[in-house]
Amino acid sequence: MEGALTARDKVGVQDFVLLDAYTSESAFVDNLRKRFSENLIYTYIGTLLVSVNPYQELGIYTASQMRLYQGVNFFELPPHVYAIADNAYRTMCSELSNHFILISGESGAGKTEASKKILQYFAVTCPMTESLQIARDRLLLSNPVLEAFGNAKTLRNDNSSRFGKYMDIQFDSQGVPVGGHIISYLIEKSRVVYQSQGERNFHVFYQMLAGGEEERLASLGLQPDPRLYKYLSQGHCCKESSINDKNDWKTVCNAFSIIDFTHSDLENLFGIIASVLHLGNICFEEDERGCAMVPVNREIKWIAKLLGFCPSILLEALTHRKIEAKTEEVICPLTVELSVYARDALAKAVYGRTFTWLVNKINSSLVNKDLAQKTVIGLLDIYGFEVLDKNGFEQFCINYCNEKLQQLLIERTLTAEQAEYEAEGIQWEPIQYFNNKIICDLVEERHRGIISILDEECIRPGPATDLSFLEKLEEKVGKHAHFQTRKLAGPQARKRIGWMEFRLLHYAGEVTYCTQGFLEKNNDLLYTHLKEVLCRSKNSIVKECFLVAELRSRRRPPTVGTQFKNSLSSLLEILISKEPSYIRCIKPNERKEPSKFDDLLIRHQIKYLGLMEHLRVRRAGFAYRRKYEHFLQRYKSLCPDTWPHWHGPPGEGVERLIKYIGYKPEEYKLGKTKIFIRFPRTLFATEDAFEFSKHQLVARIQATYRGCRARREYLRKRRAATTLEAYWRGALARREIKRRRWAVQVVRRFIKGFIHRDKPLGPDNEEFIMFVRKNYILKLRYHVPRSVLDKSWLRPPGILESASDLLRTMCVRNLVRKYCRGLTAERKAMMQQKVVTSDIFGGKKEGYVESLKQPFASSRIDEGDINPKVLQLIGSERIQYAVPVIKYDRKGFKARQRQLILTQKAAYVVELAKIKQKIDYSALKGVSTSNLSDGILVIHVSPEDHKQKGDAVLQCEHVFEAVTKLTMLLKDDVVKVVQGSLQFYISPGKEGTIVFDTGPEEQVYKDKNGQLTVVSVRRKS
């Protein structure tokens, strides 16, 4: 615990006893807030544990956490519910003494969860045998059964315990849990018939409707919808998102089977649960005489069937009352109001006694038949002090119970403090504290206490009312200092007390109680007529709960208040005989939100749990005490005489240590085995000095240790490096020898293979040839031609020439295939034209090779550039090709600009808007062109065709393209490539000559002989 003091400014102190301002409620709350904000929900007040409900999973209840706290000194680890459980268990085992753990707090503060965690701790950490496994399981599974029948959703808590529970866990001499026993206190029976807005009835009703099989519900006369039942729907909260009734019902049914409930027990138990729901749905109406009657008997019949008696008898018992005179019995009818009271009283009585039977049944399954002596640890999960807007009879009983427990806590704490002081030889100084025995006497004193006055008022003849009870209180206890009513209070207090209320000044503060319903709830009477019906029941549980002996007894049964007082007295006797441990549970906010800390609500609970009073009593003497051995072991480094080892008695070592530190006489006392430190600030200063000293010591130790480790590591690495180098050199040498041997063998094989390379494949040359093939193939992949025109190819070795030729052929075919597949229709047509050109001019005319790179056009003149009159004259003939040309007259050879237009049927020589010459393909005799690079072409016509003027002599820039287009339209090879000169037809009987020659520049002229001379530049080959 001392180790956590260094972080006290951030997370507070782990023990409220170490607060300097221990009388300040603000300091108490501030420490609680610091710890809660860091998810530290547990804090000590000495050995008392304060627990704040986190409303979230914190991961601090794992099996590893349980093992961490097992067998450890109470203050060695941070506060935890496991520390409380382990301390009680270890003390019980070592001293063979009985213990109890008292868990209290408001509804929703986490009492039930705390008791579950303690049970789980014992189940996991205690030694266990297979034969005792069943007892442990029954002990754990008794919780879900009791929660189903005794817990309910309230405005403050979704799983609020509506009864007090004391459970004894029995251990054998080896510390093994062998059995248990449960006692229940004051179950809230009124909840069976009425729930406030936003609250629910006991869980079991909703669980059975949600999780029960259809057949079972049908056999009980029930339907799954809880809104159909009056006793379940008054709070308008039948469904709750945080509660899974269906799954909870499975858990309860599983628990029934483990706890050894028979099939008959369960059938009878389910019948009782269903009968309570049917009771709530019985409606009464007033007949003509003003008496109660039941118009619909359906629910009556189901109740009679489930509980095993005649429907008419039950109907009569609910609408009539049997009054016994001295000599005769009189049955008189009831009003609707009294019948409703009788119905509700019956439901409460049946459920209340069934709950008692259930507890007894669980006890019978937990009983251990071994007669050997056992020790026990008791768990008391009881309601905390309650102050509501309207406090009734239940709050009166609960707060009376808390008064008694607070009295026990203070007395036991003072006794333990005094015993420790006396054992250590330290003078005991009397402590002033509020002794609440005066309030306990006010409530429970015989003949003069409030419970006795309430009982007298319940049994006295005449019309007793809640108001007459209040008047009786004013008369009997009106002068008591801790009792007030509106009539007795002063002018200021009178305004806050109603006419039907009285106020008690409890140890935790003032509480005002409303007396309305006190007499009815204290009496808790069930009409004799109804008791007779229940005694005749064939349901074995009801028969066991309502004995015939009750009817024969003329003695009035004890009231609820007296029963509660007697059971509380019995409980205190049990607790006084055991060693105590305490857990006080606090809820941080009303909305059950994690990480939200409501100061006002916390202060309210601190007050009503009596925590400040307990802290004041615990701190009245010394704030800190430790055994000499532990104190010296922790702080010996602060004194040169005790560090590093003290060889004398621990007491002397501590005395030497505190003198060196400089403790003042009023700050401490030395006992026989312990040192007692009065002020927390003294301990804080010691702890801060220890932290400073520890850092210095740690730094020195670390420096020495690091130096030692570094030197040791250096020597180890040097030895390892030397050894590694030797081994590595040897390994490298051996590897080199192997590599050289391998190289020699490879070289030999390859020389031999090279020598026999031309021979057939065999062992001598196989590896060499395979290598040559592989090497050639690997090189070839980088020298594969990328296009059809690329004629390069990697030269192969002699042995691979045939394979290389085959690969080359395949490669070329693949390239051609890829190239052809990639051609568009337009380009394919152009290529076909190029093929025709090649056939005509290939190797015959200069300039052909250069023309290969120039793509052919579909036409060199757009249709829009041709005169519309020409288009009109041509008519329906589709233009296939048009190109600009120069036409030379046949007589004077004068050059004129013309257009050559080729259609499907004829060739036209056009001048602007005139057709100068039309040559039908049928009349076309041939086409001539020279072998030089000039663009002259002559279209020869037939001399027999008198329509023609003669051959057309044209010069075209695109002569290859024009001739090819004309040839493809003619669909015949009529082109001649001439050398030197050619003859052309001018007119009938007259011909002309064109002479082709080469020169330095291109010229076309008429020579002296009257011939047309065409000079072209010779192209370099």
Side-chain angles (χ1 to χ4, degrees), residues 228-231 276-283 299 343:
L228 300 176
Y229 301 97
K230 180 186 175 185
Y231 282 168
V276 171
L277 295 181
H278 286 303
L279 269 172
N281 281 7
I282 296 175
C283 297
E299 309 293 346
R343 178 198 67 188

Side-chain angles (χ1 to χ4, degrees), residues 27-45:
F28 192 101
V29 173
D30 185 57
N31 190 68
L32 209 59
R33 187 191 302 105
K34 284 181 181 178
R35 297 184 63 74
F36 182 74
S37 64
E38 297 294 326
N39 287 331
L40 301 171
I41 62 171
Y42 294 119
T43 315
Y44 290 135
I45 304 179

Side-chain angles (χ1 to χ4, degrees), residues 77 179 225 281 370 447 455 491 622 685 740 779 902:
L77 292 173
D225 189 356
N281 281 7
D370 185 6
H447 305 304
D455 287 351
F622 295 88
R740 289 184 180 184
K779 287 182 178 178
L902 303 180

Side-chain angles (χ1 to χ4, degrees), residues 73-91:
N73 184 279
F74 187 74
F75 289 107
E76 279 188 27
L77 292 173
H80 203 291
V81 69
Y82 292 158
I84 295 288
D86 185 73
N87 187 57
Y89 178 75
R90 283 190 298 108
T91 310

Side-chain angles (χ1 to χ4, degrees), residues 400-652:
Y400 161 54
C401 172
N402 275 271
E403 284 287 358
K404 296 292 287 183
L405 293 174
Q406 176 70 7
Q407 184 183 19
L408 175 69
L409 171 63
I410 296 297
E411 287 177 357
R412 295 298 291 270
T413 303
L414 284 172
T415 302
E417 285 283 289
Q418 189 171 1
E420 186 175 22
Y421 279 45
E422 289 175 359
E424 292 295 324
I426 295 176
Q427 184 178 357
W428 172 253
E429 301 172 3
I431 298 172
Q432 297 296 323
Y433 69 97
F434 174 66
N435 189 345
N436 62 340
K437 183 178 183 301
I438 187 172
I439 301 173
C440 297
D441 290 343
L442 171 63
V443 175
E444 67 184 4
E445 193 175 5
R446 289 190 67 183
H447 305 304
R448 290 190 294 177
I450 294 175
I451 292 178
S452 294
I453 297 170
L454 181 59
D455 287 351
E456 287 176 16
E457 198 64 14
C458 286
I459 62 174
R460 77 173 176 85
T465 63
D466 295 324
L467 185 58
S468 65
F469 163 61
L470 185 62
E471 291 170 350
K472 200 66 160 287
L473 286 179
E474 290 174 341
E475 179 186 337
K476 292 284 188 75
V477 296
K479 295 181 180 180
H480 198 286
H482 293 267
F483 177 85
Q484 287 182 343
T485 64
R486 185 181 180 92
K487 180 179 177 181
L488 301 173
Q492 292 298 325
R494 187 176 297 162
K495 298 176 182 178
R496 293 180 284 123
I497 304 176
W499 287 107
M500 292 293 290
E501 295 176 344
F502 67 91
R503 177 178 292 170
L504 294 183
L505 306 180
H506 289 281
Y507 76 92
E510 301 174 347
V511 183
T512 303
Y513 300 97
C514 180
T515 58
Q516 286 180 346
F518 259 61
L519 267 64
E520 179 188 330
K521 291 177 181 178
N522 188 51
N523 266 323
D524 195 27
L525 291 177
L526 186 64
Y527 293 150
T528 306
H529 205 168
L530 286 171
K531 280 188 181 179
E532 289 176 354
V533 174
L534 293 172
C535 288
R536 295 176 190 172
S537 173
K538 293 178 183 177
N539 185 302
S540 60
I541 297 176
V542 176
K543 204 168 185 178
E544 192 177 332
C545 292
F546 294 89
L547 303 174
V548 179
E550 284 187 52
L551 299 174
R552 297 177 189 151
S553 174
R554 297 293 177 182
R555 188 173 180 182
R556 182 183 177 88
T559 62
V560 173
T562 300
Q563 290 179 43
F564 185 69
K565 183 179 76 170
N566 294 338
S567 60
L568 187 56
S569 298
S570 303
L571 172 65
L572 289 174
E573 288 176 11
I574 294 171
L575 299 183
I576 288 171
S577 65
K578 295 177 172 62
E579 294 297 320
S581 297
Y582 305 100
I583 300 176
R584 292 288 193 257
C585 298
I586 293 175
K587 64 177 180 181
N589 60 79
E590 290 285 9
R591 295 185 178 181
K592 294 170 275 192
E593 295 178 4
S595 306
K596 185 176 180 182
F597 193 89
D598 187 338
D599 278 34
L600 289 177
L601 182 64
I602 299 288
R603 289 175 185 271
H604 173 88
Q605 292 172 87
I606 289 170
K607 180 179 180 182
Y608 291 131
L609 288 171
L611 296 180
M612 293 303 297
E613 184 72 10
H614 182 80
L615 174 60
R616 203 172 62 79
V617 170
R618 188 68 179 73
R619 262 297 302 271
F622 295 88
Y624 174 85
R625 62 212 65 184
R626 273 295 178 276
K627 286 187 174 293
Y628 289 141
E629 295 85 350
H630 296 156
F631 189 84
L632 185 62
Q633 179 63 30
R634 181 165 184 82
Y635 298 114
K636 62 183 180 181
S637 61
L638 298 179
C639 174
D641 296 338
T642 56
W643 176 258
H645 300 292
W646 172 256
H647 299 287
E652 293 180 9

Side-chain angles (χ1 to χ4, degrees), residues 7-20:
R8 60 184 179 270
D9 292 336
K10 181 181 179 183
V11 301
V13 294
Q14 293 183 357
D15 193 336
F16 285 109
V17 172
L18 297 179
L19 282 176
D20 261 336

Side-chain angles (χ1 to χ4, degrees), residues 356-420:
T356 304
W357 174 88
L358 187 71
V359 173
N360 293 335
K361 179 70 179 177
I362 293 173
N363 285 335
S364 67
S365 73
L366 296 177
V367 70
N368 184 268
K369 297 177 181 177
D370 185 6
L371 299 178
Q373 185 179 0
K374 303 176 187 67
T375 51
V376 300
I377 293 178
L379 284 179
L380 180 58
D381 175 2
I382 200 124
Y383 12 67
F385 203 92
E386 283 194 359
V387 183
L388 308 179
D389 294 335
K390 184 177 180 181
N391 302 292
F393 179 73
E394 290 85 358
Q395 283 69 44
F396 174 76
C397 294
I398 288 170
N399 293 344
Y400 161 54
C401 172
N402 275 271
E403 284 287 358
K404 296 292 287 183
L405 293 174
Q406 176 70 7
Q407 184 183 19
L408 175 69
L409 171 63
I410 296 297
E411 287 177 357
R412 295 298 291 270
T413 303
L414 284 172
T415 302
E417 285 283 289
Q418 189 171 1
E420 186 175 22

